[in-house]
Amino acid sequence: MSNLAASQNEAELTDSFRGLTELVETCRENANRGGERFNIFAILGLQRDENRTHSRYLAELLSPTGRHGEGAKFLNAFVNDVLGLSLDVSDRVKVTRELATEDRRRVDIVVESPDLIIGIEVKIDAGGQKAQLHDYYTALKQRAKSRKKAVLVYLTLDGKAPSTYSLKDLEQENVQCLSFEKDIRQWIDTCASLSKHKPELSYALIQYKRLLENLTGAGASMTALIADKLANNRYDLETALAVEKALPKAKAIVMLRFWEELSNAMANAFGVTPSVYGGKNLNEISHSYFDVKRGGKHVGIKHTVGDLSGKKLCLYVNLYNAIHYGLRIDSESGLPVPQQGVRDQLREKLNDGNAVADKDLDWLVCYYHNPAPSQEPIILNFDKFTGSVLDLIDEDKRQAIIGQMVDHQVNLIKEAKILLETIVA
């Protein structure tokens, strides 16, 4: 290809991108004509917070004693319309958040009545933990004691099925998969209809519905408007399709740059290059991550801190949906194993981590980036590829994130080595 032809192609591509940029901006303005973007959840930065936003909000609506003051109306609408159960659930109902199980896991929401027990696991960004749904279902069945119907709900943005990693040997048919996009959005509509006589409550429900539309691309959101425009303009759609084909490679380049610079920073800090797992090398795990066939694969890098009674204490930087890092103990086969005694001792000094995976007993302690108690963790979610992950394109921001992450890892290893000396002594 001549330089002139290459220049012409580049100019045409620039014009195409400019056209798509204008399309997105127009749709953004149209989606906000009624002030829809003024959403309290988005303004407070809580739109993707599984615990403080979605679990709390849903539990409050499901509780007959919730501040909505509508008794069991919302709960019965959920049980009958969403779960498809012909039951009247209004007598002696208890709704609990973060219900602890015997194996020290926590079910996000549990609704219990004399005839029914519902466990709801809410997933927005976090991936499933090892045998998580298996353990939840076992705990629910134990509480039901053959006297109650036990229902385990797996609630995600799009209603996807859980991974075999989370199910273990639990049959998929024992888990009811629901989506925020359809099931919860329709239920919220029902709740809003039932509470029209309370304008403040009805508006609060509409705000939450708007949040779900923005998260899932449903309704009259900007995403839906863009889709409609693309479907009616061949030139724009062809451009978008060309971009779509390039996106996995572009994302992989951003990820690979992050892994390489993080690995180099850890090598400088610890004197040895961390090993790669989940693939042959950093290039492979970066490019294969965006392959639709990858499934529930965990990938990352790890550094061996020291020996512990025939096992190895390791620093892991793991990626499933979001980057999280911390300390784990590997068995002789090289796989993480729970060590409750060591976990308890370490947490006496470090307290709990702030990552979702911190609940998994395989982790002694686990963090997202920026673990300062006074700050919200910066979550690098490569699955959604928004927010902080896009900041990694900027070299200064990327170096700042990596630097803070490694500084914290150095402190973790310092405390771990002190603990190792204590155990060995």
Side-chain angles (χ1 to χ4, degrees):
M1 181 183 294
S2 67
N3 290 336
L4 178 59
S7 297
Q8 289 176 339
N9 285 343
E10 184 175 345
E12 290 175 0
L13 187 60
T14 300
D15 288 340
S16 298
F17 275 121
R18 187 179 295 114
L20 284 182
T21 301
E22 292 173 355
L23 171 63
V24 170
E25 187 57 37
T26 299
C27 289
R28 179 180 286 114
E29 292 175 0
N30 290 339
N32 194 40
R33 283 181 176 175
E36 292 87 351
R37 291 185 65 196
F38 193 85
N39 185 282
I40 190 65
F41 299 101
I43 291 170
L44 297 177
L46 298 173
Q47 59 267 55
R48 306 193 77 91
D49 195 310
E50 295 172 358
N51 182 31
R52 292 189 302 165
T53 300
H54 299 281
S55 289
R56 285 188 179 183
Y57 197 91
L58 296 177
E60 187 72 14
L61 291 180
L62 290 169
S63 175
T65 59
R67 282 166 282 192
H68 49 76
E70 292 299 293
K73 288 182 182 178
F74 299 162
L75 173 58
N76 273 299
F78 181 81
V79 171
N80 296 318
D81 299 342
V82 181
L83 297 184
L85 302 176
S86 299
L87 292 173
D88 179 12
V89 187
S90 56
D91 182 40
R92 289 181 292 158
V93 177
K94 182 179 180 182
V95 178
T96 307
R97 289 185 57 253
E98 296 289 311
L99 179 69
T101 65
E102 291 184 358
D103 52 9
R104 301 195 181 191
R105 291 189 183 276
R106 293 185 179 275
V107 187
D108 288 333
I109 304 171
V110 173
V111 180
E112 193 166 4
S113 76
D115 304 312
L116 177 67
I117 180 168
I118 306 168
I120 304 175
E121 175 61 13
V122 180
K123 293 291 185 187
I124 301 294
D125 291 324
Q129 300 172 38
K130 184 178 180 181
Q132 184 179 32
L133 294 181
H134 171 276
D135 293 347
Y136 287 174
Y137 187 74
T138 300
L140 291 177
K141 293 293 285 186
Q142 288 175 345
R143 290 179 71 90
K145 295 180 180 178
S146 300
R147 297 194 301 267
K148 305 178 183 181
K149 182 177 181 60
V151 178
L152 177 58
V153 172
Y154 186 62
L155 175 57
T156 61
L157 291 177
D158 56 6
K160 66 182 180 182
S163 66
T164 54
Y165 183 73
S166 180
L167 288 170
K168 194 180 176 181
D169 56 3
L170 178 66
E171 294 294 331
Q172 170 70 61
E173 62 188 26
N174 291 316
V175 181
Q176 187 158 348
C177 297
L178 300 180
S179 72
F180 280 102
E181 180 179 13
K182 178 182 177 182
D183 301 298
I184 299 303
R185 195 162 63 92
Q186 290 179 352
W187 175 59
I188 293 296
D189 261 342
T190 300
C191 294
S193 179
L194 291 171
S195 58
K196 284 182 178 179
H197 58 290
K198 293 183 177 179
E200 293 286 346
L201 173 58
S202 182
Y203 184 70
L205 290 163
I206 291 172
Q207 280 272 298
Y208 186 66
K209 179 187 174 184
R210 291 274 187 247
L211 167 64
L212 299 186
E213 290 174 347
N214 289 333
L215 286 177
T216 64
S221 68
M222 184 180 73
T223 302
L225 291 174
I226 292 173
D228 184 65
K229 293 292 185 182
L230 290 177
N232 290 284
N233 186 303
R234 174 174 177 148
Y235 179 75
D236 285 346
L237 184 56
E238 285 180 340
T239 302
L241 289 171
V243 172
E244 182 184 33
K245 292 178 181 178
L247 276 178
K249 186 173 183 179
K251 291 179 178 179
I253 292 171
V254 174
M255 178 186 284
L256 177 59
R257 187 186 299 136
F258 168 77
W259 279 128
E260 288 178 339
E261 293 183 10
L262 175 62
S263 180
N264 290 336
M266 291 173 64
N268 290 333
F270 306 131
V272 60
T273 301
S275 60
V276 178
Y277 63 90
K280 295 179 181 178
N281 50 49
L282 296 177
N283 185 66
E284 182 180 292
I285 66 174
S286 297
H287 284 83
S288 65
Y289 184 85
F290 299 101
D291 186 335
V292 294
K293 299 178 181 178
R294 72 177 294 269
K297 191 174 182 181
H298 290 253
V299 299
I301 56 180
K302 67 178 179 178
H303 165 68
T304 300
V305 177
D307 293 323
L308 182 64
S309 303
K311 301 181 180 66
K312 293 187 181 297
L313 179 62
C314 298
L315 171 71
Y316 272 77
V317 183
N318 186 70
L319 172 62
Y320 182 74
N321 287 335
I323 292 287
H324 47 283
Y325 62 89
L327 298 171
R328 305 169 99 173
I329 293 177
D330 279 0
S331 65
E332 294 180 359
S333 63
L335 296 176
V337 292
Q339 291 285 303
Q340 190 62 50
V342 179
R343 192 174 194 262
D344 292 341
Q345 291 182 58
L346 187 63
R347 284 167 184 257
E348 288 181 4
K349 292 187 176 183
L350 299 176
N351 299 317
D352 294 340
N354 62 7
V356 171
D358 190 63
K359 300 176 183 178
D360 196 324
L361 297 182
D362 287 353
W363 290 89
L364 301 181
V365 66
C366 185
Y367 299 91
Y368 293 127
H369 166 63
N370 197 2
S374 60
Q375 301 178 28
E376 286 293 311
I378 298 174
I379 302 178
L380 300 173
N381 191 312
F382 278 97
D383 183 58
K384 300 301 179 184
F385 221 92
T386 56
S388 299
V389 174
L390 293 176
D391 287 341
L392 295 176
I393 297 174
D394 182 283
E395 183 176 0
D396 291 338
K397 291 181 179 179
R398 184 174 68 252
Q399 290 300 320
I401 289 173
I402 290 174
Q404 292 166 8
M405 188 180 293
V406 174
D407 285 345
H408 184 229
Q409 292 171 357
V410 169
N411 290 331
L412 283 180
I413 287 183
K414 180 181 177 181
E415 294 296 339
K417 286 184 174 179
I418 293 174
L419 177 62
L420 277 176
E421 293 173 358
T422 303
I423 293 175
V424 172

